[in-house]
């Protein structure tokens, strides 16, 4: 599923219960906000690619029942193309990027199959610093750009730590 380039936000519950969506969810660069329950119960996505503009992801940490990605259990990889780490907001308590908020986004109730968070090489340390202590240990952070599926990537930015010399 590739969202429209004209969208600027995904409102609460927009795709809630669309469990037949499969494959990669691509969030365009113009989208800045993903509200709570935006993709609730979209179990069949295997990958989410966040565009460069995503700055706010809303969850409901009191019960973790309304995270933007609650029950997106099939997601194995997420890719953040933005150089600025998105802020994870609690929609009810208005706290931002606290450990609980981040844990609720990447915890068992949301991306429970997550194995890797990909970022651009120049952003890797910022994402690790912001989220490492709140993301399950089984999840790796990587800037292996050979795995990024980005249409506007140019060869000068492509690096891989997994290719032989």
């Amino acid at each position: 599923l590739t969202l429209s380039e004209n969208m600027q936000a995904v409102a609460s519950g927009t795709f809630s219960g669309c469990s037949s969506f499969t494959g990669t969810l691509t969030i365009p660069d113009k989208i800045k906000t993903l509200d709570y329950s935006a993709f609730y119960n979209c179990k069949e996505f295997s990958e989410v690619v966040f565009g460069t503009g995503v700055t706010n992801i809303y969850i409901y940490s009191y019960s973790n029942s309304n995270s933007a990605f609650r029950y997106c259990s099939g997601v194995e990889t997420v890719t953040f193309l933005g150089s600025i780490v998105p802020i994870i907001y609690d929609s009810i308590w208005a706290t931002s990027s606290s450990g609980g908020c981040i844990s609720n986004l990447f915890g068992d109730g949301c991306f429970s199959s997550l194995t890797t968070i990909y970022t651009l090489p120049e952003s890797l340390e910022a994402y690790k610093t912001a989220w490492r202590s709140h993301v399950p240990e089984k999840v790796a952070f990587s800037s292996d750009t050979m795995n990024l599926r980005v249409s506007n990537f140019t060869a000068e930015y492509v690096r891989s730590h997994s290719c032989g010399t």
Side-chain angles (χ1 to χ4, degrees):
L1 176 66
T2 300
L3 302 179
S4 169
E5 291 290 333
N6 297 323
M7 293 177 72
Q8 293 185 2
V10 180
S12 175
T14 300
F15 297 100
S16 180
C18 295
S19 58
S20 62
F21 290 150
T22 62
T24 300
L25 167 61
T26 303
I27 300 169
D29 293 344
K30 286 185 180 179
I31 293 181
K32 295 186 181 333
T33 301
L34 302 171
D35 211 341
Y36 65 95
S37 297
F39 298 97
Y40 181 92
N41 208 27
C42 293
K43 298 177 185 180
E44 300 302 319
F45 286 126
S46 58
E47 176 180 25
V48 179
V49 177
F50 294 89
T52 60
V54 175
T55 56
N56 305 303
I57 302 172
Y58 285 84
I59 57 118
Y60 177 53
S61 68
Y62 179 71
S63 68
N64 194 21
S65 61
N66 291 322
S67 171
F69 294 96
R70 179 73 169 160
Y71 297 127
C72 290
S73 55
V75 174
E76 296 175 356
T77 63
V78 295
T79 301
F80 290 94
L81 300 176
S83 58
I84 298 173
V85 179
I87 297 174
I88 313 302
Y89 285 100
D90 182 321
S91 297
I92 301 301
W93 304 109
T95 57
S96 62
S97 290
S98 70
C101 292
I102 297 166
S103 297
N104 285 340
L105 177 62
F106 296 111
D108 289 336
C110 298
F111 296 142
S112 57
S113 299
L114 187 65
T115 60
T116 310
I117 297 172
Y118 291 102
T119 70
L120 298 176
E122 61 271 18
S123 305
L124 182 62
E125 288 308 313
Y127 279 84
K128 282 183 178 180
T129 299
W131 294 348
R132 176 72 273 170
S133 63
H134 307 291
V135 173
E137 286 185 32
K138 69 175 184 148
V139 177
F141 284 82
S142 177
S143 63
D144 184 351
T145 53
M146 293 299 289
N147 289 309
L148 296 180
R149 294 185 207 175
V150 185
S151 61
N152 61 352
F153 230 40
T154 59
E156 67 181 308
Y157 296 115
V158 178
R159 292 185 249 181
S160 178
H161 301 290
S162 59
C163 296
T165 54

